[in-house]
Amino acid sequence: MKLNFIFLLTVALTFWTSVLQAGAGDGLGLFLDFGQLKALNNDTETEYQTSKIGGVQYDYQFALGDSFSFSLFGTEFGGKGELPDNTKYEYYKAGILGAELRAWMGALFIGIHGGQYYLTWIESQSSYSGIKWSGGSGWGLGLEGESGWSLSWYSEKSEKIIFDDLPDQRVEGQRILLGYRWR
């Protein structure tokens, strides 16, 4: 986590006075997620993720002047996982439907968001645990230049997600997003 922050801070300082200066702008964004949203047991903190697969995020951003923006977003992440005492589920999907407020300082932004986090366990294409929802929040730091390219880091944490026949869980993790915004 410290390495991600140091990397983003270094990039931000390097490009702070360059031609990449941008600010809040309207437009659709599409991003690849190289981080992780992992499933955890809510009571014991046991991680159920056994390997990362990856994810995608889309959003639409609305500029609120030069220094702030508001966006609606959706993200989905897939991973391989293992539940104790239940070997029929091998994969899970976790995601967020939310809204974010960003403060801009040139190309650098700091954002906070909240929304509905979801989690489902998958046995096959036709068999899954059902999609369960809970609230949650996160924050992020990133760069987005005039060219539309963006690099950002986010920290996520949901509240307890209640399952009927599985242990109560939550979704949390660190995500690195690389993407493009059409302006």
Side-chain angles (χ1 to χ4, degrees), residues 96-99 113-117 134-138 156-159 171:
I96 311 165
L97 294 175
H113 62 267
Q116 289 293 304
Y117 288 61
S134 179
S137 61
E156 308 288 351
K157 188 170 184 179
S158 78
E159 296 172 359
V171 174

Side-chain angles (χ1 to χ4, degrees), residues 45-64:
E45 304 280 326
T46 303
E47 287 186 27
Y48 295 141
Q49 177 183 9
T50 58
S51 71
K52 297 186 257 187
I53 294 177
V56 64
Q57 177 170 309
Y58 56 90
D59 74 4
Y60 195 91
Q61 181 171 273
F62 304 91
L64 304 173

Side-chain angles (χ1 to χ4, degrees), residues 47-157:
E47 287 186 27
Y48 295 141
Q49 177 183 9
T50 58
S51 71
K52 297 186 257 187
I53 294 177
V56 64
Q57 177 170 309
Y58 56 90
D59 74 4
Y60 195 91
Q61 181 171 273
F62 304 91
L64 304 173
D66 291 334
S67 300
F68 294 96
S69 67
F70 174 78
S71 64
L72 299 172
F73 71 94
T75 187
E76 186 169 87
F77 183 88
K80 192 168 184 176
E82 188 175 292
L83 289 165
D85 303 327
N86 191 332
T87 58
K88 74 179 190 177
Y89 299 118
E90 294 182 40
Y91 297 93
Y92 70 92
K93 277 191 180 180
I96 311 165
L97 294 175
E100 180 174 55
L101 180 64
R102 289 180 176 175
W104 291 84
M105 294 158 281
L108 178 69
F109 68 83
I110 297 172
I112 57 169
H113 62 267
Q116 289 293 304
Y117 288 61
Y118 69 86
L119 178 63
T120 184
W121 284 91
I122 303 167
E123 179 181 7
S124 68
Q125 288 184 344
S126 60
S127 177
Y128 60 96
S129 66
I131 298 172
K132 301 297 182 178
W133 297 83
S134 179
S137 61
W139 67 279
L141 175 66
L143 289 169
E144 187 172 303
E146 288 180 5
S147 65
W149 289 101
S150 176
L151 175 65
S152 55
W153 170 86
Y154 281 91
S155 178
E156 308 288 351
K157 188 170 184 179

Side-chain angles (χ1 to χ4, degrees), residues 25-31 59-60 144 147-148 179-183:
D26 293 331
L28 177 68
L30 182 61
F31 308 89
D59 74 4
Y60 195 91
E144 187 172 303
S147 65
Y180 185 79
R181 179 171 317 283
W182 289 268
R183 294 179 182 220

